[in-house]
Amino acid sequence: MGALRSDRLWLFGGLALTAVLIAAGWFLMIGPKYTEASDVRAQAEDASTQLSTLRTQLSQLKADSANLPDYASLLKKYKNALPTDDDIPTFLRQLQTMGTNLGLGVNAYTATGRDESKAVTAARELPITLTAEGNVDDISTFIKKLQTTQPRAVLIESTDLKQGNTLGDASDPDPFTLTLTLNAFRLKSSASTTTVTTQ
């Protein structure tokens, strides 16, 4: 009877020890491995999401790269519209040439002092007043070209059209005279001011 009790004691003790070893093995070895595996799976999912995002970005960059010549052309257009230099005499001569090509007498203009732009904080405005004489159709074409064809960014502030020969050109029997006030824009690169008057 004592041997049977002793055997039972050893049996239950062995079972208890086995349970303790299994629990300890789980908490000390197997459990952490499961947690580590779960973390690795989460990292793999994150990496897969990032890879998908990067593939999308790469595809977009390839598409943008194919359009690079168009972007370069657009950049050149914008640089011409908003130059960083202050070559106002050249710009005024371009306006005079544009008027001459249309048969207009664009022969008086004034450009004075740059102002901070209220519309574009990175730009300065140069107020320009010019006078052009000719027929109404040519004057209309001149205004249209001023806004669409010539590259410089300008904003027409006011116009005053009067009939009559005010510039002394007798070649046109029924001329109109346009006085035009506009702002030419340029990017800020210096605080210089310019005053130019051409007759």
Side-chain angles (χ1 to χ4, degrees), residues 12-186:
F12 288 128
L15 288 173
L17 182 60
T18 301
V20 168
L21 287 174
I22 289 173
W26 174 264
F27 287 110
L28 295 176
M29 296 176 64
I30 298 172
K33 290 296 180 186
Y34 271 111
T35 302
E36 185 180 336
S38 177
D39 291 343
V40 169
R41 277 194 295 272
Q43 290 173 6
E45 288 175 5
D46 290 344
S48 177
T49 302
Q50 289 177 355
L51 181 61
S52 176
T53 302
L54 289 173
R55 281 181 177 158
T56 302
Q57 290 176 350
L58 179 61
S59 175
Q60 183 61 48
L61 287 172
K62 284 181 179 177
D64 289 345
S65 178
N67 295 326
L68 196 56
D70 294 337
Y71 293 147
S73 175
L74 196 58
L75 178 62
K76 183 178 179 182
K77 178 181 175 184
Y78 289 158
K79 282 185 175 179
N80 288 337
L82 286 173
T84 55
D85 62 1
D86 244 340
D87 193 7
I88 298 306
T90 298
F91 176 59
L92 295 177
R93 281 193 298 274
Q94 288 170 351
L95 294 181
Q96 186 175 28
T97 301
M98 187 169 71
T100 301
N101 291 339
L102 291 170
L104 294 176
V106 181
N107 50 7
Y109 18 47
T110 305
T112 57
R114 291 197 172 276
D115 298 322
E116 298 293 323
S117 173
K118 297 181 180 99
V120 183
T121 57
R124 287 178 169 267
E125 299 176 358
L126 175 68
I128 297 175
T129 301
L130 63 86
T131 305
E133 187 175 282
N135 66 54
V136 172
D137 291 337
D138 292 339
I139 288 174
S140 177
T141 302
F142 178 77
I143 291 174
K144 187 180 291 185
K145 284 182 174 289
L146 186 64
Q147 293 178 302
T148 59
T149 305
Q150 67 85 25
R152 187 87 181 237
V154 295
L155 177 65
I156 295 176
E157 297 288 345
S158 67
T159 59
D160 182 27
L161 184 65
K162 293 181 180 175
Q163 189 168 14
N165 189 335
T166 61
L167 297 178
D169 183 4
S171 62
D172 190 345
D174 193 23
F176 284 81
T177 300
L178 172 74
T179 302
L180 189 65
T181 302
L182 56 92
N183 277 325
F185 294 89
R186 63 155 271 199

